[in-house]
Amino acid sequence: MNINKYPEIKSGGKLIKKIYVAVMLWIVGRAIQAASRVDREVKEEFGRLSDDFMMHLHVLPSGPGMIVGKDKNGKVKYMGWNPKGKKITLDMKVKNIEGAMLMFTFQESTCVASANNRLAVSGNVPDTMAFIRILNIVETYLLPKIITSFAVKRYPKWSQMSPMRKYAGRVLVYVRTFTF
Amino acid sequence: MQIPDYFKFFNKTRIVSGKKSLENIPYELQSMDAVKPLVITDKRSVDEGLVKILIDAYGDSGLVIGAVFDGVTAYTSAKTVLDAARLFRARGCDSIISIGGESCAFAAKALNLLVSHKTEDLLQFDSLPDNMHLCPFIVIPTSDSSGRETSTRSVIDGRIYESDELMPDIAVIDPRMLKKRGKAETILPALRAMAEAVEACTEDAANPMNDSFAFASIQLICENLAAAVNGGSVKSVLGLANGIAISGIVWSNAPEGIGSALAEELAVRTGNSRELCAAVLLPHTLDYKLKNTKKSVRGELLLPVAGIDRYCAAAETERGLLGVEAVFEIVKGMNKYIPVTLKELNIPRYILESTAEAVEDSFAKQYGKGGALMILESAYNGERVSGGKK
Amino acid sequence: MEDIIITLKLYSGLEKELKIPDYNVNSGVIIKVNKGTKLKNIIADSGLQKLSGYAFFSGGERINLRTKFMESAEISCLKISGGG
Amino acid sequence: MQIPGYYEFCNKVKTVSGHNALDKLPEMLASVNSVKPMIITDRGVNGAGLIEPVKKALGAKVKAGGIYDDVPADSDVKTVKDIAAKYRAAKCDSIIAVGGGSVLDTAKGVNILVSENSDNLMNFVGFGALKRRLKPLIAVPTTSGTGSEMTLVAVIADHERDVKMLFPSLFLLPDFAVLDSRMTKTLPAALTAFTAMDAMTHACEAYTCLSKNPLSDSTAVMAIKLISENIMQGVKKPGDMQARLALANASALAGMSFSNSMVGMIHAIGHSIGAICHVPHGVCMSVLLPYGLEYNLHKTGHLTGELLFPLKGAEAYNSAKAEERPLLTIKAIREMNSDLRKATGGKHPTCLKEIVDRDGNMMVPREVLSDIALLSLNDGAMVYNPEDLDYKDALMVLEKAWEGEPLDRKKIKKGKKTSLVKVKD
Amino acid sequence: MQEITGTSNRILEVNLTKKSFSVYEVPKEDLKLYLGGKGLALKMLYDRMEPGIDPLGEDNMIAIHTGVLLGTGAPCSGRFAAVTKSPLTGIMTSCSCGGAFGMALKTSGWDGLIVKGKSNTPVYLYVDSKGVEFRDAKKLWGMDTQKTQEEISKDSGGALAIGPAGENLVLYANVASGHRFLGRGGMGAVMGSKNLKAISAKGKEFKILPVNQKKFEKAKKKATDYINGNDISAGSYRNFGTNANVNLNNAGGLLPVRNFTGGTHGEAHKISGEEMAEKFKTSYSTCKPCTILCGHKGNINGQMRQIPEYETVGLMGSNLEIFDPVKISDFNEICTLMGMDTITAGGTIAWAMEATERGLFKSDLKFGSADGVCEVLKDIAHMKGIGKDLAMGSRYCSKKYGGEDFAIQVKGLEMAAYDPRGAFGQGLSYAVANRGACHLSATAFGLEVYLGLMDAYSYRSKASMVKYQEDIYSAINSLQTCVFTVFPYELETLLMKYSPRPVLKFMMNLMAGVAMRFVDVSLWPELWSAVIGNRLGMTAFLRVGARVQVLERVMNCAEGISRKDDTLPDRLLNEFRKCDSKERAIPLEKMLNRYYFVRGFDKNGIPKERTVRRLKIKKRMAV
């Protein structure tokens, strides 16, 4: 039985998926920053978080990531993808690129994803819960109703989010996200 | 619910099942300090592209697969394991992944024994301690799996190696690995797994933990069997595979029943597959137990087999009988695709007698002198055991 | 055209027919032929007639008269038998 | 039993159960080749003389490396550090933890320090920090409820920095869980009731929350069946060993079930009440259980209906129509709470205002409900609850639970209805 | 000396339990459909025996039929056939043998013999024209096969006898007649289980005359000319016996070496027929009468001994890596005296050597060394020590001790001395042969390797070739004449002799089914119809072969045989011979599907209703 009949196999790359996730992370990151200025509830949520709050959501092992946190004077900013030089208080790791694809093609909502053990979160729990609520609100803004109703357990009814607030908010968030 | 005075229960295998579960493997391996697995599989799995699916799932993980050893054959021999061990050491692997049916898992477990103890001789492992430190071992069941992958046993060259530590660390059940099979090839592993689960929970020393696993396994198999055989929808095939994997755990935690002992002996003597013999003997072992043993068959069996509504609708005393009836329905219902009596297999009578004799003594006190032979005879022509109480 | 070495092994009493003095079973008859010659010509040189009754093998496989030899090889020539 | 799209199930603990399962201790120690175990317990357990059977079981052959018995009510870093120091001093090679949830969490913390021989717990926080098997750990639970012998999370508080450290890792699962009925023989009726209802809540929530899976379901049903058949017996006649063993098994099964299928809002709110009003965990659970199920009826009504079978038996399940079953289940749980209240002579509460401490004053005043609601929103368990909860929802549930009346289901803001059974409002 | 023209058609039915016998008249219809020999013997058992009976039990029967040609002086017609249910494989086994018993029985006025029941004391039968005498065999019990025959041949022309192996129920014990044997499948054990030590026949009471003397003489002359003209029968066989195959198989990579791991070996020429002929100065010692003269005897260190046949040399020589012809002859002598099948004994000992090497089995047998083998053979015959297990065959041992992948057997019968990985058609023939891994069911390697008419490493049209050969061999065994007549009678016919080889090769490779129809097999039916009188055409002759094959398959399926059993041992499917650098695996599944289609079986290998009906086999057992 000669050994070299059974060669070593290097793992390939999934470039397209990584690009797609990177773009989505960039959009969501900027959208969070936009929403923190536009939406009252998001502002409150961030208000409750500690001042040096710095969240880093990235895909293992070396996939794309996004960092959102409060800068020196407490404003919520999207801080790109490189964690060097930043003190991360909440580190949310998605176990593999396929898990990230499931989340960002909205086949699995954030809650279902963490229920299915796709995320490995280290950092204190209250911040995580706050971030999940923020993410739900941002998704309501970013995406049409049909898609978000999959991604969220309960789509905010008329009472919680008046249509005026939703559509105006959506416009403002899009504007802020795509203007530098 | 009767709790035995003393019992032990252990399940080392972590079940990860469902969509995109294969992609977890790189992360899981790293969390067990392993980076370079050796994949043990057989030609059929390679031809069906299952190995290719795993390699794609490895994409973007940055990890390396030590090698894919596809030399496992239906009969696992020590030579295959030694070849795999040499490859394992040559590539400097640190963990093992097995893709395929029973024989791949057996070879992988034996390989784990060899490389963890750094030895070349399998025969020195006569009785295995329960606390060996083995390499991380992941099993990926496929459509050929019949349950023994997730059990504590490995059979190499006809020799049995048994230890709690041989159970795989993780069983990854991914729908992409469950290729469509012919009707008989789908039914037989499922019925064998069900036979083992039914036997475990109708044993005298059944304990609540093993019962809950057994009920889960039986329910998964009974609910999904018909759908998996006819339509073969992803959900039903996945359900079936889960039921089969859980039955391996149940089997490892229960003493060997008369049904599986008879099936084993019959398979060795007639060359039929173990799955087929187990499937044919299952209803008749239960039928005999119902009528001829003191403890008879417990009512709770009806719940996983027939579902909660039929269970609650049945009267307390009738449940044992109805449970056995339900099992008969399921197994005999499959007679369009598989033989359901020993007569259809043309098994000569003298082989029935010698099989009964071989198994008789170890079960005599529980099932009486002619018990084994009565089971085989009723399984021969497919009728119910006549001479019993009812 | 460089030469290649063919070792001819004769069985089933062929060495008697060809009257080769003190034929050694292990080493056989060594002939030098140039590369690419067909089996037919090799046989002709060695003086074997009535080709139809014999079977020729090389490297564990049956070869026919038109097989060409590129590198040196060993050829066994035998009379056909019937099994049993 | 619908097979979920994705699930994970793991319980690597070797369960040893029986009336005198502890006699098998030397055998267990030998199987993990440990010769010098260290016993960790708390004053209550030691005082109740529950350590004697353990020592007797160890017998002459095995000499315990030392007994450490002043683990505080909720474990903290300081205790863990000096137990670890004692462990190293006595050169022990395994830990036997005898006690409730906090003793076990402390033991897990100690095991991390001694196995990785470091003394800073901080660098093991979070996922994937532990990479190798730790030294052997044998868990001997003395309460049949927390099920912490089956869970993979250890929670250790750091009082100086007032933060709770979470250590979720499969390597923290104990090697053995010894369910010996003698350990719970002396448990008073009220405590038996709280802990049994705690296990019941674990099982019910595991059956209805998001990462529900076949194995968690069947272990949950088995646990509920064992509890509903044995709880009254266990409370009325503490001496009945068979009931004790059944409750111990039920709590282990419930632990096995919820450590894989996670729990939802009831635990989230329960933790907050415990944190703010220091009410024992089991007490909050038994009160909040019916409210949790009511709140999620439009999402998991059919599952709640299925729970009627293990709770009240086959006849009750069979006689009720599919639509009625969920409400009957909730009614059955409320009845159980009131029966327990009678059996424990008023100690078992049926609503938040009835929770009283030893000397009779109310532990959960009304005005503190809003803080509890706010705190519960940030509890990790909220993720797994089938329905979202915001501040107002949580407050509404707490108010109703305080009063003791059933939820007004019209007020619940309902997301996408997934219950297969149309429960009439 | 009375006379029988054609055949007497009278069969003796002996019941050992009641010690009684009766005469059974073979109906004309059966004679037409099954001719005689193996065919008729099988049909007689098909009518009388139930499926599922214990081969070593009282209800098993042995049917012997001499066949029509025996006693007429036709070339190579000194053979008779016997059929029983084999204790080794649990399915039907049919053997043919060239010993003197056939002639003695035929010339005592009987065409065949059926033995039923079981005698409580050791007994032997004495047959003469009047009937059967049951004589006490207590003093014969324990004697070896040759001594027994001497004792009882004082007043008889020929005898059948079992040795100690048969008495101790060794599952592969054989039955001796002179120094020829009913070899495979354990017929000796069946006689042993009936306490039947021997059967002897007075003989020389009748003279057998063919109905059409003139036509018979013409056919006989033509047959003799073909045999003497063909250089396989007159050349290889006559000069070197069956051991002419040793060098041929060694060159073609078919020789079994070290339990079928290698295909060739440098020292193989030491045990070849050519060198043995010179060394032992061999002379003829054959069946009577025989024209090919393939059996030889020689002076082996001082003693005149029968030269071992090729199968014995292959399986007890090269397969054990023993290349000393004297040692092999010693093993052969022990097996002859004890009465054991050398092929199964060789295969089982080879398994034992490899299992010992791997530590699965405790014995001091080693490849390449002959010491210990003689003792083991004696232990097997007397069921002592490790012999007790080895006496059950390599399938039983491998299931008990492990090592099923290198137990080289199919359906329980050890494989003959041809490695199928060198001739894929032979692999299919082994898998589907009714008796188990037997080479006399279809000698596919003859066409693929020896004559080189087909590509040995392709699956194309191998199924139809194997079916054709199975049919013709079964038909020949139903005349009862020697199967070695296949080469002279077929190859010497005008069409085959003078058609150019490339045309033959092209036809055989691509259209084997069609090409086969052009082969002229008229000589056998000519001989048969000359003796019997009624006409038998070539196609009818081949249909008899097909009928016998399918009947045997029906009886085997009734014992539980199906596609799961039509396979080859793991080693031959998944490992490769040392000499095969291209590592080619046998495409068994493809060939099997095609064979079932060509044979008229269903996907699971069970004969279809239509096939059984068209071959006019009376439906008797549910299959």
Side-chain angles (χ1 to χ4, degrees), chain D residues 45-355:
Chain D
V45 169
N46 202 356
L50 295 178
I51 298 296
E52 264 51 34
V54 176
K55 271 200 234 136
K56 192 160 58 57
L58 289 183
K61 298 197 291 306
V62 178
K63 219 188 109 344
I67 302 180
Y68 185 94
D69 66 359
D70 56 9
V71 169
D74 50 11
S75 54
D76 67 12
V77 180
K78 210 164 50 48
T79 334
V80 169
K81 279 216 181 79
D82 50 39
I83 299 178
K86 273 215 172 57
Y87 182 100
R88 288 199 196 92
K91 288 198 199 54
C92 301
D93 50 18
S94 73
I95 299 173
I96 303 179
V98 184
S102 66
V103 170
L104 271 170
D105 284 353
T106 316
K108 290 176 188 172
V110 171
N111 211 5
I112 297 176
L113 290 189
V114 287
S115 311
E116 303 290 337
N117 46 50
S118 99
D119 51 16
N120 176 356
L121 270 177
M122 273 313 284
N123 41 32
F124 298 103
V125 178
F127 257 91
L130 292 168
K131 283 263 172 37
R132 281 180 305 287
R133 282 169 77 126
L134 305 180
K135 289 200 167 21
L137 167 64
I138 298 175
V140 184
T142 55
T143 63
S144 301
T146 58
S148 46
E149 67 276 10
M150 290 289 177
T151 55
L152 46 93
V153 181
V155 179
I156 295 170
D158 182 344
H159 286 305
E160 287 105 24
R161 291 172 25 267
D162 190 10
V163 80
K164 270 198 167 163
M165 288 187 289
L166 232 64
F167 301 90
S169 159
L170 291 178
F171 294 109
L172 284 180
L173 279 171
D175 294 70
F176 285 93
V178 184
L179 310 175
D180 188 320
S181 45
R182 290 174 294 174
M183 286 292 123
T184 51
K185 195 148 72 71
T186 59
L187 207 60
L191 253 177
T192 313
F194 299 156
T195 48
M197 284 312 283
D198 187 5
M200 171 75 82
T201 320
H202 288 162
C204 294
E205 289 225 273
Y207 197 79
T208 54
C209 281
L210 274 188
S211 47
K212 168 187 163 70
N213 61 67
L215 282 174
S216 295
D217 291 354
S218 63
T219 41
V221 166
M222 189 67 76
I224 298 170
K225 205 160 187 304
L226 284 175
I227 295 171
S228 58
E229 281 163 5
N230 292 287
I231 189 164
M232 283 309 157
Q233 185 68 358
V235 167
K236 291 205 180 75
K237 279 213 232 47
D240 179 343
M241 298 312 274
Q242 200 52 28
R244 285 301 181 194
L245 186 61
L247 287 176
N249 273 291
S251 121
L253 278 163
M256 215 191 261
S257 172
F258 93 87
S259 76
N260 286 288
S261 163
M262 297 304 164
V263 281
M265 59 181 277
I266 301 173
H267 270 72
I269 302 172
H271 289 156
S272 317
I273 298 176
I276 294 172
C277 317
H278 305 298
V279 171
H281 180 64
V283 174
C284 325
M285 291 300 111
S286 52
V287 169
L288 293 169
L289 177 54
Y291 294 96
L293 294 177
E294 253 170 354
Y295 185 81
N296 294 318
L297 267 183
H298 60 285
K299 287 268 184 182
T300 58
H302 58 291
L303 299 177
T304 319
E306 277 165 24
L307 290 181
L308 184 62
F309 161 64
L311 262 171
K312 297 298 272 179
E315 296 72 25
Y317 182 87
N318 190 28
S319 53
K321 280 206 296 309
E323 292 75 25
E324 296 153 0
R325 287 189 189 127
L327 296 176
L328 280 175
T329 313
I330 295 165
K331 196 159 75 58
I333 294 173
R334 286 203 165 97
E335 273 159 19
M336 189 178 277
N337 272 338
S338 49
D339 296 350
L340 283 175
R341 186 167 176 73
K342 283 195 222 61
T344 58
K347 285 212 192 66
H348 187 80
T350 57
C351 58
L352 288 184
K353 65 175 183 288
E354 284 167 358
I355 302 176

Side-chain angles (χ1 to χ4, degrees), chain E residues 268-334:
Chain E
H269 61 84
K270 286 193 185 130
I271 51 173
S272 67
E274 295 88 334
E275 295 198 7
M276 282 212 266
E278 250 174 78
K279 201 167 168 206
F280 303 128
K281 300 187 186 41
T282 56
S283 55
Y284 299 122
S285 149
T286 69
C287 320
K288 293 180 196 49
C290 177
T291 323
I292 297 180
L293 308 171
C294 77
H296 291 79
K297 61 178 187 275
N299 178 336
I300 299 172
N301 47 27
Q303 224 190 354
M304 279 309 284
R305 284 190 189 163
Q306 186 72 11
I307 299 288
E309 291 305 326
Y310 166 68
E311 294 307 326
T312 313
V313 163
L315 281 161
M316 291 191 127
S318 62
N319 205 29
L320 310 181
E321 277 189 326
I322 296 171
F323 295 96
D324 170 358
V326 177
K327 281 280 185 303
I328 297 172
S329 159
D330 294 346
F331 302 153
N332 188 38
E333 280 311 297
I334 296 175

Side-chain angles (χ1 to χ4, degrees), chain B residues 38 44 67 82 86-87 103 115 170 180 184 208 242 260 277 280 351 355:
Chain B
L38 175 70
R44 185 172 196 188
L82 288 174
R86 203 138 33 85
L87 188 58
S103 48
V115 290
I170 302 175
K180 231 176 122 34
N242 273 287
S260 71
C277 297
V280 172
I351 288 193
T355 313

Side-chain angles (χ1 to χ4, degrees), chain C residues 11-13 15-16 25-26 50 52-53 55 57-62 64 66 76 78-84, chain E residues 232 236-237 245 247-248 251-252 269 274-275 278 310-311 418 439 445 449-452 457 484 487 501 582 584:
Chain C
Y11 295 103
S12 21
E15 66 279 13
K16 290 195 186 57
V25 174
N26 287 336
K50 213 153 100 357
S52 68
F57 294 87
S58 172
E61 287 191 41
R62 201 178 200 287
N64 55 46
R66 285 180 314 286
S76 321
L78 319 102
K79 279 200 187 138
I80 305 167
S81 165
Chain E
I232 290 180
S236 313
Y237 278 138
N245 300 317
N247 285 332
L248 204 53
H269 61 84
E274 295 88 334
E275 295 198 7
E278 250 174 78
Y310 166 68
E311 294 307 326
Y418 302 88
H439 63 293
F445 54 84
V449 177
Y450 295 172
L451 300 170
Y457 292 101
F484 289 165
F487 294 99
R501 263 181 71 77
K582 299 199 186 77
R584 288 157 289 204

